[in-house]
Amino acid sequence: MRTIENDLLLVQINERGAEVREVLHKESGRQYMRSGDRAYWGRVSPVLFPIVGRLKDDQYKIGDQTYHLSQHGFLRDVDFELFEEAKDQVVFQYQSNGRHTSQYPYEFTARISYALSENGLTISWEIVHEGDGTMYFSIGGHPAFHVPLVEGEQTADYSLTLAPSTEHDPVQYELHDSLVREKEKGVEFEPIQLRPELFQNDAMIFSHIHQVSLISQAGHGIEVDLSGFPFVGIWSPYDQEKGTMAPFVCIEPWYGIADMEGTNGQYKEKFGIQTLEKQETFHATYTIFFK
């Protein structure tokens, strides 16, 4: 486990998956990240690669060759090496070196960095294509935040606010049997009171959103700046029998998305897929502000 800190925040990151496990606000004592309790979901903030979400039948094709990948891919389960470290920032690196060719036939280097600035944590990804030809991939974040943050508060004391891009028209999607389809209902941009029914049909998914905030009536919470990301998912496990949600919400910036219902399975034609040529590098950055 690695620790970075500044005057306001202390962050602990596991080398396994380069995953943030804790964010402590020093002044208030608030722990912002969920604990990883397996009763709901055993992770805290995994990095999703080389797919986001689920593939139809958990498989994809490159030409005539079929490959199998489970939901969200494998990068969240590998051990990263420490690449750079300072008091308030750290960089982790993972090189594929032929270890995944049965699942994913591309060679790559992944670097994941975390840097603190006042009340913000900036997460940056670099993916370098180390092989020949064109590499296809998706990558995404999946951080889970405690809700409520303060004892005595209720879920309904929190509101979600989505700020749309000014360059593209946002679209809302929905999941059906873990596959994506466009939703007819328009996107709601007024603050949304947090309630379990929002997650009755799994995650809420949108394109072209540049900021998502989850703030209590008292003014504390989190704000995620994901400008430039094509998709965002918002999710909490929903208990169908009890009509309740888990005590956390995930706000997930994505460069990629689960398979569409009508997919033909060809990876290079997958909706939302990213590409890299030999020795090219993909960069993406988002920032979480803790209030």
Side-chain angles (χ1 to χ4, degrees):
M1 196 79 71
R2 298 285 171 173
T3 300
I4 59 174
E5 61 181 308
N6 62 10
D7 291 342
L8 286 179
L9 299 173
L10 185 146
V11 180
Q12 290 194 326
I13 308 156
N14 195 346
E15 289 91 343
R16 184 76 168 179
E19 181 184 18
V20 171
R21 302 292 297 185
E22 293 185 14
V23 175
L24 171 68
H25 192 281
K26 293 180 179 180
E27 289 184 356
S28 67
R30 289 192 288 269
Q31 289 278 2
Y32 280 84
M33 309 306 293
R34 70 170 302 259
S35 65
D37 180 2
R38 293 182 180 276
Y40 297 102
W41 178 59
R43 302 180 190 268
V44 178
S45 63
V47 178
L48 319 178
F49 176 92
I51 58 171
V52 169
R54 188 173 295 281
L55 299 168
K56 186 177 182 179
D57 300 323
D58 290 329
Q59 64 183 30
Y60 67 98
K61 291 183 178 180
I62 298 176
D64 295 328
Q65 180 70 43
T66 298
Y67 297 88
H68 296 267
L69 269 178
S70 58
Q71 186 177 27
H72 296 325
F74 53 76
L75 199 65
R76 59 187 180 167
D77 293 317
V78 305
D79 292 321
F80 280 73
E81 297 178 349
L82 181 65
F83 188 69
E84 294 178 0
E85 187 176 28
K87 181 180 179 181
D88 60 356
Q89 59 186 346
V90 66
V91 183
F92 298 92
Q93 177 173 282
Y94 180 77
Q95 295 175 296
S96 58
N97 291 335
R99 284 176 280 199
H100 305 283
T101 52
S102 63
Q103 296 174 287
Y104 184 69
Y106 304 108
E107 297 298 337
F108 65 90
T109 297
R111 295 189 189 98
I112 300 175
S113 67
Y114 299 96
L116 288 169
S117 57
E118 296 186 11
N119 69 326
L121 176 64
T122 296
I123 299 97
S124 300
W125 303 322
E126 288 187 4
I127 303 294
V128 183
H129 177 24
E130 306 287 8
D132 296 322
T134 303
M135 172 180 165
Y136 300 90
F137 70 98
S138 296
I139 188 168
H142 203 310
F145 306 102
H146 275 307
V147 177
L149 278 167
V150 176
E151 188 175 351
E153 289 183 332
Q154 306 297 320
T155 297
D157 294 331
Y158 287 73
S159 293
L160 277 165
T161 303
L162 284 70
S165 166
T166 58
E167 299 177 0
H168 303 278
D169 292 331
V171 177
Q172 185 173 5
Y173 300 89
E174 62 183 357
L175 292 169
H176 181 69
D177 293 333
S178 297
L179 301 181
V180 174
R181 62 187 178 192
E182 190 170 321
K183 190 173 182 179
E184 294 180 5
K185 181 182 177 183
V187 181
E188 183 180 350
F189 292 120
E190 295 298 320
I192 306 167
Q193 185 182 39
L194 192 62
R195 57 191 187 275
E197 294 77 16
L198 295 173
F199 309 106
Q200 193 168 4
N201 296 315
D202 211 312
M204 299 186 291
I205 301 172
F206 304 88
S207 69
H208 306 305
I209 300 296
H210 79 252
Q211 188 180 85
V212 178
S213 62
L214 180 60
I215 305 294
S216 74
Q217 294 176 3
H220 49 254
I222 56 96
E223 183 178 275
V224 183
D225 182 346
L226 47 98
S227 300
F229 276 71
F231 304 102
V232 63
I234 304 171
W235 173 75
S236 183
Y238 179 79
D239 189 313
Q240 297 284 349
E241 293 185 1
K242 298 179 181 178
T244 58
M245 58 181 279
F248 64 87
V249 172
C250 297
I251 299 175
E252 310 173 34
W254 296 338
Y255 270 87
I257 198 168
D259 268 350
M260 298 290 285
E261 284 185 317
T263 182
N264 63 10
Q266 285 292 335
Y267 199 45
K268 69 179 182 179
E269 298 174 20
K270 178 176 169 57
F271 181 51
I273 202 71
Q274 307 297 311
T275 62
L276 282 174
E277 301 304 322
K278 182 177 181 179
Q279 292 304 311
E280 282 189 339
T281 302
F282 168 88
H283 300 270
T285 296
Y286 71 100
T287 300
I288 306 169
F289 295 97
F290 300 90
K291 299 177 177 295

